[in-house]
Amino acid sequence: MNKPRILYLEDDPDLGEITTDMLTRMNFSIKWVNNGTEGLEAIMNEKFDIIIADIMMPQLDGYSFLKQIRDMDNHTPLILISARVLTEDVLKGFSLGADDYMRKPFSIEELSARIHRILKRFFSEKKSTNNISVGSYEYNHSTYKLTYKNKEVMLSPRSGEILYRLATNKDGFLPRKETLLELWGDDHFFNGRSLDVFISKLRKYLSEDPRISIINIRATGYRLIVS
């Protein structure tokens, strides 16, 4: 297997150099840029397997960079990194389409583990080519494309995986703890809140069909219902 290609956005020269060196030693191929503007240029010219982006950067911050690439229909998995610890900062990242969020300072070993987990899930999802019906919607789990009549929406990899599980699990049930452990790696409070954000976004995506609802099962999970 080829080395995973990582686009790494970090304006701190010391942290950037250390992280790039250590990830390279762990058999990753790294392109390190100093700001979001350089990151957008790299995205236009090269293909990456995953992106790691600091939030606080000059010219174009991590949030703005993330929003722009998602608006471009680029759904490459992305990990946001920041010293910000407030819940609203974490939730903002996930609402814009981040696949994970790590707080500084972080260990390279943990970062590597999260990269491998996301890539393993991402490429296993890509193997699925089945279209599934959700009410009047059609969802392609290979392309993350959600279609309703003549309208198409490109979901993020994480939104797509959550929808796929809701639509294919027995009785449309999505267990909360199991989902957090498998997709986020742990079930602490911040990740639980971010899962709620993804569910809220899916409700909006599916709102054209009034027969569809995603209900909360208190302290247990969610259920997709098509009446």
Side-chain angles (χ1 to χ4, degrees):
M1 180 178 178
N2 295 330
K3 293 181 180 180
R5 287 274 294 155
I6 298 175
L7 175 61
Y8 176 42
L9 289 74
E10 173 58 67
D11 65 312
D12 183 318
D14 293 329
L15 178 59
E17 183 175 353
I18 291 170
T19 303
T20 298
D21 180 66
M22 295 187 72
L23 287 177
T24 300
R25 293 170 184 264
M26 292 178 171
N27 207 36
F28 294 105
S29 176
I30 315 295
K31 183 177 182 65
W32 169 32
V33 299
N34 294 310
N35 57 67
T37 301
E38 291 182 7
L40 286 178
E41 184 177 347
I43 286 286
M44 297 290 189
N45 297 304
E46 301 178 56
K47 179 176 176 57
F48 298 95
D49 297 308
I50 193 166
I51 302 168
I52 303 168
D54 186 25
I55 290 178
M56 300 300 293
M57 293 186 296
Q59 297 186 37
L60 189 70
D61 65 30
Y63 289 138
S64 301
F65 169 79
L66 172 57
K67 185 177 187 305
Q68 288 200 33
I69 66 169
R70 293 302 187 239
D71 287 344
M72 292 161 51
D73 283 341
N74 184 311
H75 295 287
T76 304
L78 185 145
I79 301 174
L80 281 176
I81 295 177
S82 179
R84 295 182 174 185
V85 296
L86 296 179
T87 303
E88 52 263 38
D89 294 321
V90 180
L91 296 181
K92 181 178 180 179
F94 283 119
S95 69
L96 290 172
D99 293 273
D100 207 344
Y101 190 110
M102 289 189 67
R103 294 174 179 80
K104 292 181 176 179
F106 56 86
S107 74
I108 298 297
E109 291 77 14
E110 180 182 358
L111 177 59
S112 174
R114 293 195 187 203
I115 292 170
H116 280 299
R117 187 182 72 245
I118 290 174
L119 289 178
K120 180 180 179 181
R121 188 186 74 242
F122 183 76
F123 286 113
S124 67
E125 290 166 9
K126 284 294 184 182
K127 293 178 182 178
S128 173
T129 58
N130 294 330
N131 285 323
I132 58 174
S133 296
V134 184
S136 298
Y137 289 83
E138 290 293 323
Y139 173 62
N140 186 297
H141 195 44
S142 176
T143 62
Y144 304 119
K145 184 182 293 183
L146 181 66
T147 305
Y148 178 78
K149 296 182 179 178
N150 294 322
K151 299 179 182 179
E152 294 182 349
V153 175
M154 295 298 295
L155 303 183
S156 70
R158 184 155 292 184
S159 291
E161 175 62 17
I162 292 170
L163 176 58
Y164 183 78
R165 291 179 180 220
L166 279 166
T168 58
N169 284 356
K170 183 179 179 181
D171 299 324
F173 178 66
L174 185 77
R176 185 179 185 86
K177 183 171 184 176
E178 178 182 315
T179 301
L180 288 171
L181 291 175
E182 292 181 359
L183 300 189
W184 275 268
D186 59 60
D187 61 346
H188 64 59
F189 173 78
F190 293 107
N191 288 342
R193 289 291 302 276
S194 65
L195 175 57
D196 295 336
V197 170
F198 280 101
I199 292 293
S200 295
K201 292 181 72 173
L202 285 175
R203 288 185 178 120
K204 292 179 181 178
Y205 290 140
L206 299 169
S207 62
E208 296 281 357
D209 187 341
R211 298 175 301 153
I212 299 174
S213 60
I214 302 175
I215 64 172
N216 292 339
I217 308 297
R218 184 175 176 82
T220 305
Y222 307 90
R223 175 163 281 122
L224 174 68
I225 296 176
V226 181
S227 58

